[in-house]
Amino acid sequence: MRETLDITFFGVRGSTPSPCEENRRYGGNTSCVVLDVPGGDPILFDLGTGLQFFGLNERCGSAPFRATALVSHLHWDHIQGLPFFAPLHCADTQIDVYGPGDEGSTLEKSLDMFMTPPFFPICYRELEGLVSLHDTIEGSFDVGSARITARSVPHLGRTFGYRVDWSGLSVAYISDH
């Protein structure tokens, strides 16, 4: 039997969350898609408001929780779920976040501007879990047994689309294109 990759859409909306009855079928939260790789940690595509609901999932309740996040770009709707991700309030949680920094900057400096007083009451470094940031450029790198390829996508600001290859299977995530 051939193994499969499991993909769950926790958020698919752009710009603002819109949880209402009209959007129930497709979801009302902003970008967050979770890829489960058999035998590996989950790979998250974007950290929008859907991340909060992934954090309520029973998979996130087991300690220690580990995941990799591939952020397409730094627009608010793609990262605003990070401080509300419940597992990050546990010391044994670790998330490796890969993504582009703003033009001429790093991912770390860019997130420092977003999640810091007076715009947000705490910095991401103050969460109990560990958020490790990795500046991403076009090219390929490995996450566990998966091969990730990042490519530029035309959009406002530095934006990447990602392809994940694992055991002969591939998944592409290209947002806001």
Side-chain angles (χ1 to χ4, degrees):
M1 185 170 128
R2 185 179 172 116
E3 291 196 76
T4 61
L5 297 171
D6 183 39
I7 301 168
T8 307
F9 295 83
F10 286 92
V12 297
R13 295 281 167 220
S15 299
T16 60
S18 53
C20 60
E21 189 59 34
E22 293 83 24
N23 296 337
R24 195 171 107 168
R25 179 173 180 187
Y26 297 106
N29 285 292
T30 63
S31 302
C32 182
V33 176
V34 178
L35 173 64
D36 284 308
V37 179
D41 297 330
I43 297 173
L44 317 176
F45 296 106
D46 281 331
L47 302 170
T49 60
L51 182 65
Q52 180 178 5
F53 293 90
F54 172 57
L56 301 175
N57 190 294
E58 70 276 355
R59 292 177 291 174
C60 296
S62 60
F65 179 79
R66 304 272 185 266
T68 296
L70 304 174
V71 175
S72 62
H73 60 294
L74 296 176
H75 290 169
W76 180 242
D77 54 321
H78 292 262
I79 58 174
Q80 69 190 42
L82 183 65
F84 305 104
F85 185 52
L88 279 174
H89 300 282
C90 299
D92 55 1
T93 294
Q94 180 175 345
I95 297 183
D96 285 292
V97 179
Y98 292 83
D102 199 20
E103 292 292 333
S105 187
T106 65
L107 182 59
E108 179 179 21
K109 287 179 183 175
S110 297
L111 278 181
D112 279 341
M113 290 187 313
F114 141 71
M115 197 172 159
T116 190
F119 307 109
F120 198 78
I122 62 169
C123 299
Y124 73 90
R125 289 180 198 82
E126 295 175 67
L127 295 167
E128 289 184 56
L130 177 63
V131 178
S132 298
L133 303 176
H134 308 275
D135 290 312
T136 304
I137 58 173
E138 283 197 74
S140 297
F141 55 95
D142 294 325
V143 169
S145 59
R147 184 75 172 162
I148 312 297
T149 302
R151 291 287 185 254
S152 291
V153 173
H155 189 51
L156 297 173
R158 288 187 68 204
T159 304
F160 287 127
Y162 294 99
R163 177 181 166 138
V164 177
D165 291 297
W166 176 84
S167 192
L169 300 172
S170 298
V171 172
Y173 178 80
I174 303 170
S175 169
D176 291 24
H177 178 62

